[in-house]
Amino acid sequence: MDTVQLYVDDSYLREFDATVVRTGPKFVVLDRTVFYPEGGGQPSDLGTLEVEGKEHNVVKVMKRGTQIFHYLDGDIAEGTAVHGVIDWERRFDFMRLHSGEHLLTGLFEAAGSGPKVFSSFSQLDFKPSDLTEETLQGVRRRFDEIVKMDIPIRIYYTDRDRLDVGEDARKQSFLEKIPPDVETLRMVEIGEYALTFCMGTHVKSTGEIGRLRSLRLESKKKRRKIVYFEL
Ligand SMILES: [Zn+2]
């Protein structure tokens, strides 16, 4: 049985009720979940599954095929009804950082940074790149303006066939990695500033991302430029 991924349609859910459909030593698969599994650069959610007043800690969450495995500090029997609660502070922080990563990527690419080869919650790597300190400061100002404008972060679905990735090598290679049977792609759009396909969790508007606390540029060999950011 597939696990229904409740966080895909609503990333603001913090609690849910579900039934255990599969068990193993210290793990359960549920029929539905709010727990985000590790993936796309985002670490898994932590939290608890409650069974008749007893709490089990969820220590790791992984997606395997179409099922989501919740690793626990104990065992729960198949067929048991559970109440799940995620560590919301941790999740919201990830949503904020990840959404900020989208916006920064869009702004840097529009400013001619060159292709992004790596990114995380604190770092963007571009290669080859001729990114300058001046461009960096321009992006910083623009980022904070967009945060202040509090524009919506829109999620929508599009057919794979209708998606135009143009000459963007990174988007082309990303698209190639998506299994051919996946026909519908989930798009994440931040106004005119960023657009990408992503299955992660995002905040609902740029105001929630918050202003940049720091933005720093480092030049590496072979025209690799690393941007470090803090939100
Ligand atoms: Zn995303």
Side-chain angles (χ1 to χ4, degrees):
M1 186 196 227
D2 297 358
T3 307
V4 177
Q5 301 161 59
L6 300 168
Y7 53 82
V8 171
D9 291 328
D10 185 355
S11 58
Y12 283 79
L13 290 174
R14 306 177 189 199
E15 299 189 25
F16 65 106
D17 291 302
T19 304
V20 175
V21 294
R22 182 177 168 186
T23 59
K26 296 196 172 173
F27 79 79
V28 292
V29 173
L30 305 174
D31 59 343
R32 58 211 292 266
T33 192
V34 161
F35 281 87
Y36 183 82
E38 194 175 286
Q42 187 171 329
S44 63
D45 284 331
L46 302 178
T48 55
L49 292 181
E50 191 187 308
V51 182
E52 291 167 356
K54 185 180 185 308
E55 277 185 2
H56 296 266
N57 290 310
V58 177
V59 295
K60 190 177 182 173
V61 187
M62 302 283 282
K63 189 162 186 272
R64 302 193 187 282
T66 56
Q67 294 192 319
I68 295 178
F69 287 64
H70 303 70
Y71 293 91
L72 307 166
D73 58 0
D75 295 307
I76 306 175
E78 196 175 322
T80 305
V82 299
H83 181 73
V85 181
I86 61 166
D87 178 341
W88 178 247
E89 256 181 64
R90 173 183 160 95
R91 158 69 90 71
F92 186 72
D93 208 33
F94 291 161
M95 282 165 45
R96 219 168 53 72
L97 294 168
H98 176 67
S99 304
E101 188 186 330
H102 275 294
L103 179 55
L104 272 179
T105 300
L107 293 177
F108 273 112
E109 289 182 347
S113 63
K116 188 176 80 170
V117 292
F118 171 79
S119 72
S120 70
F121 288 170
S122 59
Q123 173 180 348
L124 306 176
D125 290 20
F126 299 99
K127 188 189 166 188
S129 176
D130 297 311
L131 204 54
T132 63
E133 190 59 39
E134 197 186 347
T135 307
L136 189 88
Q137 293 312 324
V139 166
R140 178 170 197 156
R141 280 192 297 276
R142 199 78 195 106
F143 186 95
D144 285 346
E145 280 167 17
I146 295 164
V147 165
K148 206 173 162 193
M149 287 192 285
D150 196 20
I151 62 169
I153 297 180
R154 196 164 79 89
I155 311 268
Y156 63 92
Y157 292 84
T158 187
D159 289 348
R160 186 193 190 103
D161 298 345
R162 290 174 58 191
L163 190 74
D164 181 16
V165 292
E167 299 293 302
D168 190 324
R170 188 177 62 90
K171 287 183 180 160
Q172 281 171 357
S173 78
F174 195 100
L175 192 59
E176 280 161 19
K177 279 182 221 152
I178 300 170
D181 58 326
V182 176
E183 283 163 13
T184 306
L185 298 174
R186 185 172 184 255
M187 307 301 293
V188 180
E189 182 187 81
I190 309 180
E192 65 200 83
Y193 311 107
L195 177 65
T196 187
F197 17 94
C198 183
M199 287 302 288
T201 58
H202 309 85
V203 292
K204 62 181 183 296
S205 64
T206 55
E208 297 210 313
I209 298 173
R211 291 169 60 112
L212 278 165
R213 286 197 289 142
S214 75
L215 193 64
R216 190 166 61 80
L217 181 65
E218 203 173 282
S219 295
K220 295 284 186 186
K221 281 183 210 157
K222 297 182 183 167
R223 287 170 69 204
R224 185 183 193 115
K225 303 270 180 171
I226 303 180
V227 173
Y228 295 99
F229 66 94
E230 278 182 274
L231 282 166

